[in-house]
Amino acid sequence: MDVEGLKKYSALHPKPAGLTLQYGTAGFRSKAQQLEHIMFRMGMLAVLRSRATGATIGVMVTASHNPEEDNGVKLVDPLGEMLHPSWEEYATQLANAEDQELQKTVTEICQKAAVNQQKDASVFIGRDTRPSSKELSQAVIDGISILGGQYHDYGLVTTPQLHYMVCCQNTQGQYGEPTLEGYYQKLSKAFTELIKKSLSSGEAQRQLKIDCANGIGALKLAEMETYFPKEVQIQVYNDGTKEKLNHLCGADFVKVHQKPPKGLDMKPNESCCSFDGDADRIVYYYMDTAGHFHLIDGDKIATLFSIFLKELLAKVGQTLKMAVVQTAYANGSSTRYLEETVQVPVHCVKTGVKHLHHKAQEFDVGIYFEANGHGTVLFSKAAENTIRQLAKEEKDDAKREAAKVLENMIDLINQTVGDAISDMLVIEAILTLKGLTLQQWDALYTDFPSRLLKVQVADRQVIDTTDAERRAVTPPGLQEKIDALVKKYKLSRAFVRPSGTEDVVRVYAEADTQENADALAHEVSLAVY
Ligand code: 16G
Ligand code: ZN
């Protein structure tokens, strides 16, 4: 290790004394001014992780749907997954070491994680459109360089694009080319293959209005224009040329406020969707003729995917195990519909993409979505091989055709992480192939009335949960109080959990009417104090 160089560079990216931050569900997130040292150190950590795994590691500079003034950073593991939990601890340790302890901390991590400091290291970097992102990614580069790592800076990319690049690189091109062109070509080819039959039968062009949250999604959709399937006519709104990132728009805003974003004029029954600030989430919506707003969230996207994939799997006649993974926030009506009507097993896990992704890996076809619109589908290697072989060799026409559709779905879906652009194309393809309107999709089931509140408490960590965050084990007595409140209402449930990204406790309630859901959430929030 170049000790003098490390001293010099860490002085350029000094840690504010006493500041401690934690690598949480979404990596590090904070006000951008507080993150220089974090970025420098995460560049270093990526080098160590690369040496430990012998693979390329990703570093993404973004704070997703958070305000423009914030920023954040996440590491991407070799196959495009989130950083392994065992390394989150090292990330936190390195982030919080005082400047003079930096070298010692790196040595300690290398010992604990058996990192050979002599090995080569390679890191891919990406960033979102925040004004602070460029400079912060420069600090990441400094961190990589000081430990002797190689890097490739992709500059402005969506979070899922960076995940894709890392996966392509580490699978020697099996997943695709690690370039933006490779990504656009892979998606547009699979999409066109999927819908070409419907088009020859005279299907009209699809129209879609997209709110890009004034973020990276707009840039990437513009870049994709030459590749973009002509079958879908898109109109981009909130492209970042006029307004601030995520301000009164984007997937998170639309989901939380259950209303259309600013800057998108919506006529009755027009199809619309919103990306979030780094384009890893998507929600759909429309306004009916009476002017009522209808949100189609991650739960309904998971339902659409499930129906479609289940039908195809039945057609190819293979016993492939399919399941849906949700979190406690999934609307109870979606869970019931999936289990009873679609008849697919549903599993509930803790909030955070890594938990959903991990669980979905247990199945041949694992569909996961958070209600907030982050999700994707994972196909096991065995399932993928079977499907590709059937698509090529199966004698029975109907079976072979179904296998081909599945094969194109595999190529269209970004299996590394939720991806707004890819999910949008999957949705548009399914709606086209099934001849469904947004209204028909929305009508599959009706959400139970629900309410999500946040409560400020002295110390949110006193609340500990179990059963995928659906029950509180501490403080003593809290769960009993919630149980008693839930009993007062029909068709109700409620839970509390400490947020992993804000200093608040979240309270969620469902009940038979909106008034009751509101009342239950309110009463539970009083029990939390
Ligand atoms: C992060 C998670 C998201 C989760 C949210 C919950 C990732 C990439 N993102 O944004 O999946 O829904 O946190 O936030 O895992 P909360 O803990 O504050 O409720
Ligand atoms: Zn995001």
Side-chain angles (χ1 to χ4, degrees):
M1 193 173 2
D2 172 3
V3 178
E4 280 315 304
L6 181 60
K7 271 197 194 139
K8 198 177 111 208
Y9 271 100
S10 69
L12 289 176
H13 310 293
K15 172 180 176 297
L19 176 68
T20 60
L21 292 169
Q22 215 192 340
Y23 196 98
T25 23
F28 290 104
R29 267 195 212 171
S30 188
K31 291 276 159 255
Q33 307 90 283
Q34 295 191 321
L35 290 170
E36 274 265 341
H37 68 296
I38 297 280
M39 299 293 166
F40 176 64
R41 292 152 187 233
M42 286 309 102
M44 294 168 65
L45 192 76
V47 169
L48 301 186
R49 181 72 180 145
S50 174
R51 291 192 169 126
T53 55
T56 294
I57 295 298
V59 180
M60 182 70 199
V61 176
T62 180
S64 184
H65 60 280
N66 285 31
E68 187 169 278
E69 298 73 32
D70 291 8
N71 219 322
V73 61
K74 265 191 290 204
L75 263 61
V76 179
D77 253 1
L79 294 178
E81 325 94 298
M82 302 288 169
L83 178 67
H84 194 274
S86 62
W87 275 66
E88 291 184 4
E89 212 180 291
Y90 303 143
T92 302
Q93 196 190 344
L94 191 60
N96 296 324
E98 295 304 331
D99 288 336
Q100 63 278 10
E101 296 167 348
L102 208 48
Q103 187 207 339
K104 193 178 103 219
T105 310
V106 169
T107 310
E108 260 174 43
I109 293 172
C110 287
Q111 276 164 1
K112 274 195 254 173
V115 176
N116 178 349
Q117 285 268 49
Q118 309 310 320
K119 282 177 80 171
D120 288 344
S122 147
V123 181
F124 282 179
I125 310 162
R127 64 169 195 272
D128 71 11
T129 56
R130 278 160 220 273
S132 60
S133 291
K134 178 113 206 278
E135 205 180 308
L136 290 175
S137 72
Q138 193 54 51
V140 174
I141 293 175
D142 285 350
I144 298 167
S145 307
I146 199 64
L147 290 190
Q150 301 287 318
Y151 67 88
H152 180 82
D153 183 5
Y154 281 92
L156 294 164
V157 283
T158 70
T159 296
Q161 283 176 334
L162 186 76
H163 285 252
Y164 167 89
M165 303 301 174
V166 171
C167 179
C168 291
Q169 179 69 12
N170 290 318
T171 52
Q172 284 76 42
Q174 265 184 50
Y175 194 65
E177 281 294 313
T179 60
L180 280 170
E181 201 187 1
Y183 171 91
Y184 297 136
Q185 272 172 353
K186 182 177 177 187
L187 264 54
S188 61
K189 178 168 177 281
F191 183 84
T192 310
E193 290 279 318
L194 268 173
I195 63 161
K196 91 184 158 206
K197 279 255 167 56
S198 312
L199 284 180
S200 55
S201 64
E203 186 78 19
Q205 228 182 19
R206 301 192 68 83
Q207 313 254 347
L208 180 65
K209 291 186 166 180
I210 309 175
D211 152 34
C212 287
N214 291 310
I216 186 76
L219 288 183
K220 297 297 130 180
L221 285 175
E223 235 171 62
M224 201 177 172
E225 204 186 335
T226 46
Y227 307 89
F228 204 84
K230 283 166 272 317
E231 296 77 10
V232 186
Q233 211 175 64
I234 57 167
Q235 272 176 282
V236 169
Y237 294 81
N238 296 327
D239 64 358
T241 52
K242 293 187 214 65
E243 298 272 351
K244 270 173 93 166
L245 177 67
N246 296 328
H247 182 61
L248 304 178
C249 63
D252 196 65
F253 175 87
V254 173
K255 168 74 183 163
V256 171
H257 299 278
Q258 307 263 328
K259 63 178 187 195
K262 195 178 163 220
L264 184 147
D265 76 288
M266 202 171 26
K267 304 211 173 58
N269 290 331
E270 276 181 343
S271 300
C272 305
C273 67
S274 284
F275 292 4
D276 75 337
D278 60 341
D280 61 356
R281 292 193 198 172
I282 186 167
V283 294
Y284 267 65
Y285 45 91
Y286 67 94
M287 182 97 79
D288 65 23
T289 42
H292 293 131
F293 178 76
H294 294 253
L295 176 71
I296 303 179
D297 64 3
D299 300 338
K300 238 170 214 161
I301 299 175
T303 306
L304 183 73
F305 283 20
S306 304
I307 293 172
F308 186 72
L309 291 172
K310 188 167 177 189
E311 281 171 8
L312 284 169
L313 290 174
K315 279 187 198 156
V316 296
Q318 298 289 318
T319 45
L320 294 174
K321 237 169 92 189
M322 179 172 124
V324 177
V325 185
Q326 301 185 313
T327 71
Y329 291 115
N331 194 280
S333 183
S334 76
T335 313
R336 183 191 280 186
Y337 184 85
L338 283 162
E339 286 178 335
E340 293 176 6
T341 308
V342 187
Q343 300 198 335
V344 51
V346 180
H347 299 267
C348 184
V349 299
K350 278 161 77 170
T351 304
V353 173
K354 65 181 175 198
H355 301 295
L356 290 115
H357 193 94
H358 187 73
K359 185 72 190 176
Q361 284 174 325
E362 289 177 17
F363 311 98
D364 290 311
V365 183
I367 300 164
Y368 73 80
F369 264 90
E370 288 193 303
N372 64 26
H374 187 120
T376 187
V377 186
L378 306 185
F379 293 86
S380 69
K381 206 70 218 145
E384 184 178 332
N385 290 342
T386 307
I387 290 165
R388 291 203 195 273
Q389 194 166 359
L390 288 171
K392 218 187 296 163
E393 293 167 7
E394 172 61 44
K395 299 277 181 304
D396 180 307
D397 288 350
K399 274 191 190 176
R400 192 183 58 252
E401 284 312 308
K404 276 190 188 165
V405 176
L406 277 169
E407 188 179 32
N408 284 316
M409 287 293 281
I410 292 173
D411 291 335
L412 186 55
I413 290 165
N414 185 343
Q415 293 188 52
T416 63
V417 78
D419 181 334
I421 295 178
S422 153
D423 285 338
M424 174 187 80
L425 291 173
V426 174
I427 291 165
E428 292 300 316
I430 298 177
L431 294 177
T432 306
L433 291 174
K434 291 191 71 67
L436 283 177
T437 62
L438 235 56
Q439 293 67 29
Q440 289 166 321
W441 173 21
D442 184 36
L444 288 175
Y445 63 83
T446 306
D447 277 330
F448 295 150
S450 70
R451 178 62 57 201
L452 178 61
L453 295 177
K454 43 178 158 177
V455 189
Q456 222 97 38
V457 295
D459 178 11
R460 74 190 199 277
Q461 303 305 349
V462 299
I463 297 182
D464 197 8
T465 64
T466 183
D467 189 21
E469 303 179 314
R470 289 172 294 188
R471 297 189 67 77
V473 284
T474 60
L478 174 60
Q479 188 57 48
E480 288 71 18
K481 278 192 213 162
I482 297 174
D483 290 341
L485 292 170
V486 166
K487 274 209 192 102
K488 287 171 46 184
Y489 299 94
K490 272 194 224 133
L491 297 172
S492 62
R493 69 182 182 104
F495 65 88
V496 299
R497 59 173 281 277
S499 157
T501 63
E502 278 182 86
D503 191 13
V504 295
V505 169
R506 300 206 196 279
V507 173
Y508 179 88
E510 275 176 13
D512 57 342
T513 64
Q514 191 59 54
E515 292 69 36
N516 287 344
D518 290 351
L520 177 56
H522 179 69
E523 288 176 70
V524 171
S525 69
L526 294 177
V528 172
Y529 280 110

